[in-house]
Amino acid sequence: MGTIRKTDSGIEIKKVYSSEDVKKEQPFPGEYPYTRGIQADMYRGKSWTMRQYAGFSTAEESNKRYQFLLSQGVTGLSVAFDLPTQIGYDSDHPLSEGEVGKVGVAIDSIEDMEALFKDIQLEKVSTSMTINSTGFILLAMYVALAKKQGADLSKLSGTIQNDILKEYAARGTYIYPPKSSMRIITDIFEWCSSSLPKWNTISISGYHIREAGSNAVQEIAFTLSNGKAYVKAAIEKGVDINILGKRLSFFFNSHNNFFEEIAKFRAARIIWADIMKSFGATDPKAMMLRFHAQTGGSTLTQQQPLNNISRITLQALAAVLGGAQSLHTNGYDEALSLPSEEAAQIALRTQQIIAFESGVADTADPLGGSYFIESLTDTMVSESLKIISQIDDMGGSVRAIEEGFMQEQIARSAYTYQQEIENKDKIIVGVNSFENNNEIEPQNNLVDDQIQGIQIEKIKNLKTRRDNELASSCLAEIEQAAKGNTNLMPIVIKAVENNCTLGEIAGCLRTVFGEYKS
């Protein structure tokens, strides 16, 4: 009989597939439930947005990388923020020690945001910001800067990740308790629906769930369950589902198992279309799952790092064949440090070669009708729905997180995967097989420890120049609004315009909402 083969999610793979394995004829691309893609002509009409995730050190240094990437053909920027920024501390806070500018750029004030986008017209670029707990503050700074540039806010396009539920389940950069965090998120939904019509108000993220160790089926199920929770909360806030649905986006991992990843993206579109229809969405665009993909950071190896170029290429190709709307390719050296300029350029060139040389973008859903892909897509749908139903029975995502269900399932999956590697049931080239003992260490791109001192001086200087009485008044207004039901966004925009810092605003809400302890 031979060895049983399975996908990374444990789905058994037959030796060969035939028409008997395909249950039904699939609709055309652009037709409900969008199995084959959300556009009728997919990339023939418009290529996916080629994003490169970048941000490190100071705003000034990150701006140099953005200018380089834009000159190389990037069509969308994606901003990485350092840990203090992500969890609501200014660079001068004691808990920021040793972390300023390390895993992303340090943003303490509107002046940092201005330096970050120096000589970049916000009206003319699509910007994705990977930020969650403090997403509302960074969005406020972005809007304040756009107003300063004289931009038409109705033309601003981009995304804030703004997905706090996956932080509790998988990543950990939360601040406030879940219910308070959900209140902030629905305030963003409400404000953006009328004031920032082209902005994607949330990027519901499976990426970090997968990075934490989930399998592909769990990535779909947990991500879409979180999506259901956000939609329910928005409807309760009075947001029109047909307006909201068109501004939701998703963020998925593109991992190593090539065909399973393609089927995952197709399955997610089917399930989400049905979910939105069940909520009462009638606009076709409100039922479409639009997603950004990033190649799998956790799949990168520090051993034989140049092998990562091959991994990234296959993962990027899976995302494209799966119908991604935008894509970020990792640098081959990211298992060792922040990506070097060379690695960032190779990562972008990988996308450009796929787009312009491979021919895979010449027709919509080129793998549609493949016996294996169609069968695997159906299986991914049914297996994911089992988990979604289980979460629904528990009372939804928030309850499932509070009870530790998602966290436990992810931990079990991660443990199983690691066991398979250690037992050599799963081969990782250069790690547990085909090792090379004479490797040359690449040069690491490390951030200078003096960055914190630079940021602290900036904050001191800002506070001596600003109207401190006005800043204090703005912070008091935020605190008062948080105690009631007033939408926080206009007040926070006013605060950043009057030079309140990110840490001051986040701290204000800490006094009202408290901090979440897992």
Side-chain angles (χ1 to χ4, degrees):
M1 285 181 62
T3 305
I4 294 173
R5 300 289 178 91
K6 294 182 179 182
T7 70
D8 287 349
S9 297
I11 296 168
E12 191 169 327
I13 302 172
K14 295 169 61 174
K15 184 172 67 174
V16 67
Y17 287 77
S18 70
S19 58
E20 294 178 3
D21 297 295
V22 180
K23 296 176 183 176
K24 57 185 180 296
E25 187 76 18
Q26 292 295 347
F28 283 103
E31 294 179 359
Y32 182 90
Y34 315 108
T35 312
R36 304 190 63 192
I38 62 171
Q39 286 109 10
D41 57 357
M42 285 305 290
Y43 306 127
R44 285 172 69 111
K46 181 180 182 293
S47 181
W48 65 91
T49 300
M50 297 182 192
R51 295 192 185 278
Q52 285 306 108
Y53 187 47
F56 56 91
S57 184
T58 62
E60 291 82 2
E61 285 300 310
S62 292
N63 176 264
K64 291 176 187 176
R65 177 63 63 87
Y66 295 157
Q67 297 288 0
F68 168 74
L69 291 170
L70 288 167
S71 74
Q72 295 299 304
V74 156
T75 53
L77 297 175
S78 189
V79 185
F81 298 95
D82 71 359
L83 280 175
T85 303
Q86 292 180 47
I87 57 176
Y89 292 120
D90 287 333
S91 298
D92 59 357
H93 193 282
L95 291 178
S96 299
E97 186 69 37
E99 292 293 345
V100 176
K102 290 293 175 72
V103 299
V105 62
I107 300 293
D108 296 312
S109 72
I110 181 68
E111 292 185 353
D112 285 331
M113 186 65 83
E114 194 165 3
L116 186 66
F117 290 101
K118 186 174 184 247
D119 298 325
I120 298 171
Q121 291 300 307
L122 301 190
E123 198 177 293
K124 296 179 180 178
V125 67
S126 170
T127 303
S128 172
M129 294 190 279
T130 304
I131 194 73
N132 298 283
S133 298
T134 55
F136 66 107
I137 306 173
L138 274 301
L139 178 60
M141 289 181 182
Y142 194 85
V143 169
L145 177 58
K147 287 166 68 177
K148 200 170 181 179
Q149 289 184 353
D152 180 351
L153 296 188
S154 69
K155 294 180 180 177
L156 284 190
S157 66
T159 306
I160 45 171
Q161 191 164 101
N162 198 29
D163 175 6
I164 200 63
L165 292 179
K166 65 95 175 53
E167 295 295 328
Y168 301 111
R171 191 163 174 268
T173 63
Y174 45 74
I175 303 174
Y176 316 111
K179 288 179 182 176
S180 298
S181 294
M182 291 293 280
R183 179 260 172 96
I184 295 170
I185 287 170
T186 53
D187 278 1
I188 296 169
F189 289 166
E190 184 181 51
W191 184 81
C192 287
S193 66
S194 59
S195 302
L196 224 60
K198 288 182 71 176
W199 193 267
N200 296 322
T201 49
I202 192 168
S203 177
I204 305 162
S205 178
Y207 184 85
H208 303 96
I209 289 169
R210 191 64 177 278
E211 289 290 282
S214 81
N215 60 41
V217 168
Q218 291 170 333
E219 184 185 353
I220 296 174
F222 295 160
T223 305
L224 300 192
S225 289
N226 288 348
K228 288 178 74 172
Y230 293 125
V231 171
K232 282 182 181 177
I235 290 171
E236 288 170 7
K237 188 86 171 180
V239 178
D240 185 331
I241 191 169
N242 283 317
I243 294 174
L244 174 72
K246 288 184 280 190
R247 298 271 57 90
L248 297 176
S249 66
F250 289 81
F251 175 24
F252 287 114
N253 201 302
S254 197
H255 216 267
N256 275 342
N257 197 301
F258 186 71
F259 291 113
E260 181 173 54
E261 293 302 294
I262 296 166
K264 177 185 77 180
F265 301 131
R266 300 170 100 248
R269 278 194 293 269
I270 295 170
I271 298 170
W272 188 247
D274 287 345
I275 286 171
M276 290 301 280
K277 194 172 186 178
S278 72
F279 274 124
T282 54
D283 188 323
K285 289 187 176 179
M287 293 183 268
M288 294 176 179
L289 182 146
R290 296 168 299 118
F291 76 96
H292 169 73
Q294 180 175 338
T295 54
S298 62
T299 69
L300 302 177
T301 64
Q302 64 178 2
Q303 301 93 332
Q304 301 178 29
L306 289 175
N307 292 348
N308 293 327
I309 296 174
S310 299
R311 293 186 179 100
I312 291 160
T313 302
L314 287 167
Q315 292 163 5
L317 186 58
V320 170
L321 292 171
Q325 276 60 66
S326 72
L327 176 62
H328 163 76
T329 33
N330 291 327
Y332 70 84
D333 54 3
E334 285 190 58
L336 297 158
S337 67
L338 292 168
S340 62
E341 194 168 281
E342 177 195 52
Q345 186 178 62
I346 290 171
L348 175 61
R349 293 290 181 258
T350 299
Q351 291 200 50
Q352 291 166 334
I353 289 167
I354 291 171
F356 301 112
E357 295 187 26
S358 72
V360 297
D362 290 343
T363 187
D365 189 31
L367 292 183
S370 155
Y371 301 141
F372 179 38
I373 286 292
E374 299 296 355
S375 175
L376 187 53
T377 299
D378 288 341
T379 304
M380 296 286 280
V381 168
S382 60
E383 291 300 309
S384 299
L385 285 173
K386 289 176 187 175
I387 301 175
I388 291 171
S389 177
Q390 196 175 356
I391 292 169
D392 286 343
D393 290 343
M394 296 174 72
S397 273
V398 174
R399 192 71 189 140
I401 288 165
E402 289 174 342
E403 293 186 8
F405 171 75
M406 289 190 189
Q407 298 92 312
E408 182 186 4
Q409 294 298 310
I410 292 167
R412 285 177 183 272
S413 175
Y415 179 71
T416 300
Y417 190 83
Q418 187 59 34
Q419 274 191 317
E420 289 174 345
I421 292 172
E422 291 180 11
N423 295 336
K424 292 195 175 184
D425 295 326
K426 187 178 294 296
I427 297 300
I428 306 296
V429 174
V431 176
N432 63 359
S433 191
F434 312 109
E435 295 100 326
N436 180 356
N437 296 321
N438 300 311
E439 290 187 46
I440 299 171
E441 287 290 324
Q443 189 171 352
N444 294 347
N445 182 23
L446 302 176
V447 173
D448 194 327
D449 285 330
Q450 294 180 8
I451 295 306
Q452 184 167 14
I454 293 169
Q455 286 299 118
I456 289 171
E457 282 305 310
K458 284 185 186 179
I459 295 169
K460 282 181 181 177
N461 185 269
L462 174 75
K463 289 181 178 179
T464 59
R465 289 184 287 105
R466 74 182 182 182
D467 184 333
N468 283 299
E469 190 174 325
L470 182 55
S472 296
S473 173
C474 289
L475 294 171
E477 196 176 345
I478 291 171
E479 191 171 330
Q480 191 60 38
K483 291 174 180 175
N485 296 314
T486 305
N487 192 299
L488 291 167
M489 280 304 298
I491 304 164
V492 174
I493 292 169
K494 178 184 171 185
V496 301
E497 286 176 330
N498 286 292
N499 294 311
C500 292
T501 68
L502 174 134
E504 288 174 329
I505 296 168
C508 237
L509 296 182
R510 274 187 172 92
T511 63
V512 179
F513 297 147
E515 291 191 42
Y516 179 70
K517 305 294 182 187
S518 63

